Amino acid sequence: MGRRTVRWRAMSMHGRALAATTATAITLAVAVAVAAMCVTVTLPGQAAAAGSQVGTAGTPKPYAFAEDAIPVEGTADTTNSVRLDPGKAYKSSIPRDGKLYYRLQLDATSNAYVSATAIPRAGETVSYADAVKVSVQDGNSRNCSFSETAHFGATQSSRPIAAWASRETDGDRYACQTAGTYYVVVERSGTTGSSSGDWDLELGFVSEPSLKKAGSTTAPETWNSASPNALAGEPQSRLGGAGFTKATALKQGVWQDTISPGQTLFYKVPVDWGQQLYTTAELGSSNSSGNGYVGTALVMSLYNPVRGFVDDVGSGYDGSQRSSAIDPLPPVAYDNRYALSDRVTAMRFPGSYYLVVHLASQVADKFGDGPFGLTLRVRVDGTAQTGPAYAGQAQPRDAFDVPSGDIEDAVGGAGGPGGGSAGESDSGTMKLIAAGGIGAGSVLVLTLGMWTVVARRRAGTGAGAGAAVVVEEADTVPAPPASAPREHGAPRYP
């Protein structure tokens, strides 16, 4: 039996905020016609956001699954398990204390990464110990490499949580080095104090080809671990998405959004080989008369392109502004996978790195429903380098792509002040109210006295709960060289 190491990590989830609209003042001469035929005109980029973020009274909208997610049912045994193909997304569900199997067909050279995002349904309550665990096993029930367990953590705020596992073929560190049939095992555990309803699952399977030419199997020993000066500049509006596949693209800059209690917002930042990512989250002060303290409030978590957890940072909240930054990470490098530190090994791919920001639902109890102001400072340092040559094509093909040109071009939308993010922007930022009347067989042209642009006021404060994540190495093969495990049952605090 090889050594089993346990590491604690943290996670988070998602949501969005409401915008208010007001009636346009119209001249008395056309009041009757306007009342009968009032038309709402939506500005560019708003239609895609409708229904994607927050419902009435600040209630977070459901998690946004991949639009092409294939419905599948996990099985209680391996014999009848459904096959998952690389590059595709799947939607499933898991009951309380459930253990489900899915099947993989793998070659002898590619690395396989499987992620499971668990989403409690509306109205579900969760406890610290509620968790989802993911493993990849061979036909003899041996873990191929590590397995990971994600808990809701101290916040006990219902939201999506994610865990991942892999079959890796780099060297002799792990088992499962041959081609054949393997199994994804997804397990859910809970406590008596949590709800018993089913959780939805979003499953992802990414295949990474081997290299054309084998290289170093030693992680970089030195890199710049100093924290840079805080990124300055006028913030631009960018509205977070409601799921991994709806994450809003960010580039280097200062970005502003709002977040409501119970919400989780998703963003993505392109990071290439040789580049370092630095991120800071700032929660504005509350404008309510509330008081008190939420111990585990806002958490910002970082995931790599295959939704593998990298690191997180959390903060408490007492109604005053808070700022927290993820500790410096190494430049993206293929050889990072050979490091002893989890947060370093996760920085092994180029592509979109996901920032997931969650505000604990308990914040509403002390400071109201919000929304609260959120500012993200994103810095990408270093010149993009040429990475190692792969012997084949990743699945999905764009798994490790880094968009070129402006972020606006990459996502198809504008991100300036007041602008919404493409694909997942909140349509409440600006609206125009126009009035017109149409008669039978004729058109009555009405002159409006004014156009009123209604801007949403984005109040400032936030908090989100991290999820503890346990990483277990395979216990049937020798583990990598010993290292002190990272242990934290809640997000790191600045």
Side-chain angles (χ1 to χ4, degrees), residues 7-235:
R7 303 180 177 93
W8 291 90
R9 297 174 169 171
M11 293 220 174
S12 68
M13 298 213 318
H14 92 295
R16 166 120 309 279
L18 270 182
T21 59
T22 61
T24 303
I26 309 297
T27 60
L28 182 61
V30 297
V32 175
V34 171
M37 299 181 178
C38 185
V39 180
T40 298
V41 180
T42 303
L43 292 177
Q46 293 179 333
S52 65
Q53 294 298 321
V54 174
T56 59
T59 303
K61 284 281 187 174
Y63 178 82
F65 287 87
E67 293 181 357
D68 58 351
I70 301 170
V72 294
E73 290 188 11
T75 57
D77 59 73
T78 57
T79 304
N80 300 305
S81 57
V82 177
R83 174 174 169 173
L84 306 181
D85 293 323
K88 295 183 179 180
Y90 297 89
K91 183 177 180 180
S92 190
S93 63
I94 187 169
R96 181 170 175 170
D97 298 323
K99 183 176 183 179
L100 301 179
Y101 292 89
Y102 306 87
R103 179 165 43 92
L104 306 177
Q105 198 67 35
L106 305 180
D107 60 29
T109 60
S110 299
N111 295 321
Y113 303 95
V114 180
S115 64
T117 303
I119 306 99
R121 293 174 181 174
E124 293 282 301
T125 58
V126 297
S127 69
Y128 178 96
D130 285 333
V132 62
K133 178 181 178 180
V134 181
S135 307
V136 176
Q137 298 180 348
D138 65 10
N140 288 311
S141 301
R142 298 179 301 178
N143 286 349
C144 292
S145 55
F146 64 84
S147 61
E148 185 174 79
T149 302
H151 298 269
F152 285 94
T155 305
Q156 303 182 57
S157 180
S158 181
R159 65 194 186 281
I161 57 174
W164 69 313
S166 69
R167 189 292 296 264
E168 301 181 44
T169 60
D170 296 321
D172 57 358
R173 299 185 301 159
Y174 299 118
C176 307
Q177 299 294 297
T178 60
T181 300
Y182 295 90
Y183 300 96
V184 176
V185 186
V186 181
E187 302 173 69
R188 173 186 167 185
S189 58
T191 63
T192 56
S194 57
S195 298
S196 59
D198 289 358
W199 291 352
D200 290 321
L201 294 174
E202 184 174 58
L203 304 173
F205 175 15
V206 176
S207 178
E208 179 192 32
S210 61
L211 299 181
K212 286 185 177 180
K213 182 179 179 180
S216 169
T217 56
T218 302
E221 296 182 357
T222 60
W223 48 274
N224 182 12
S225 59
S227 297
N229 294 329
L231 195 65
E234 192 67 20

